[in-house]
Amino acid sequence: MASFSPSDGHVYCFVCKLFSKTRSQFTHGGYCDWKNAAARLVEHETSKNHLNATTHFAVRSKEKGCVDQELVQQAESEAIYWQEILKRLISVIVFISERGLAFRGEKQVFGSPRNGNYLGILELIAEYDDFLDKHIKNNGSCGSGNTNYLSSTICEEIVQLIKKKFLMKLSLESSSKNTIPYR
């Protein structure tokens, strides 16, 4: 598993650099004798040290997973978190829109009896939904510049996206009704 370093123009063995207990050109300093590179790489890859390092790497990968596995899991977990928040927000927005209700009240603050239907319904759901409750408590009053998807700006953007999707659906339905089937 050779890796080329553009900064110094040398080849290193990735696995040996991480797991080999011996020093060689492929672990320290790098290899750059290009005339003999093919033969030396084959010689290195069949050496006992390289095979031991490769085995150690394979065992560690199987036991612990990839080096970035924890980061991948964290990113997936965060994506699921935001999807769950958006599901709840979209449900509230659709509910309010279908009934033709006003979204905002006099105050745009959680906890205020005059915060409007959008924030009020989110507060009501949060009384029974621990996930949403925790999100509102942690992010509901953090101000601009922080991602929370609870602001009136995001609400308006979601309304516009739903409207666009609804109008597209209407357009497709009306165009399919106006076509004459081929016989």
Side-chain angles (χ1 to χ4, degrees):
M1 292 197 203
S3 296
F4 178 73
S5 171
S7 64
D8 66 7
H10 291 79
V11 172
Y12 297 87
C13 178
F14 168 76
V15 175
C16 289
K17 192 146 182 76
L18 291 176
F19 296 104
S20 181
K21 294 179 180 166
T22 60
R23 292 176 62 102
S24 75
Q25 285 181 308
F26 290 103
T27 60
H28 295 80
Y31 187 81
C32 65
D33 178 9
W34 302 113
K35 184 178 177 184
N36 300 310
R40 279 290 283 132
L41 283 168
V42 170
E43 182 183 316
H44 172 75
E45 289 180 348
T46 58
S47 72
K48 185 177 180 182
N49 288 329
H50 177 76
L51 295 173
N52 287 339
T54 303
T55 302
H56 188 70
F57 175 71
V59 168
R60 187 191 183 286
S61 293
K62 190 171 185 178
E63 289 175 359
K64 307 262 185 195
C66 295
V67 175
D68 66 345
Q69 183 177 358
E70 199 170 308
L71 290 173
V72 170
Q73 287 174 340
Q74 183 181 357
E76 288 172 354
S77 175
E78 192 160 329
I80 290 168
Y81 177 88
W82 291 112
Q83 286 172 357
E84 290 300 315
I85 292 298
L86 286 171
K87 281 182 194 175
R88 288 155 174 84
L89 300 182
I90 290 169
S91 292
V92 170
I93 290 169
V94 168
F95 176 86
I96 293 170
S97 298
E98 287 176 338
R99 286 154 182 80
L101 302 173
F103 278 83
R104 293 191 218 142
E106 293 175 23
K107 304 228 179 204
Q108 293 299 304
V109 180
F110 281 101
S112 169
R114 296 181 174 186
N115 61 10
N117 292 318
Y118 179 64
L119 296 181
I121 293 171
L122 287 174
E123 287 176 326
L124 177 65
I125 293 171
E127 286 183 30
Y128 303 97
D129 183 345
D130 292 336
F131 179 76
L132 184 59
D133 184 50
K134 184 177 177 185
H135 181 74
I136 289 172
K137 284 179 180 169
N138 291 339
N139 303 294
S141 301
C142 58
S144 65
N146 297 302
T147 304
N148 62 22
Y149 292 112
L150 299 170
S151 70
S152 59
T153 305
I154 296 297
C155 177
E156 288 297 323
E157 286 182 26
I158 294 171
V159 167
Q160 293 304 316
L161 289 170
I162 293 170
K163 174 185 164 189
K164 186 177 178 181
K165 188 165 181 125
F166 178 75
L167 291 175
M168 228 179 352
K169 184 179 175 183
L170 279 178
S171 173
L172 288 173
E173 287 176 0
S174 69
S175 67
S176 67
K177 288 179 183 176
N178 294 333
T179 59
I180 300 170
Y182 178 75
R183 292 187 186 176

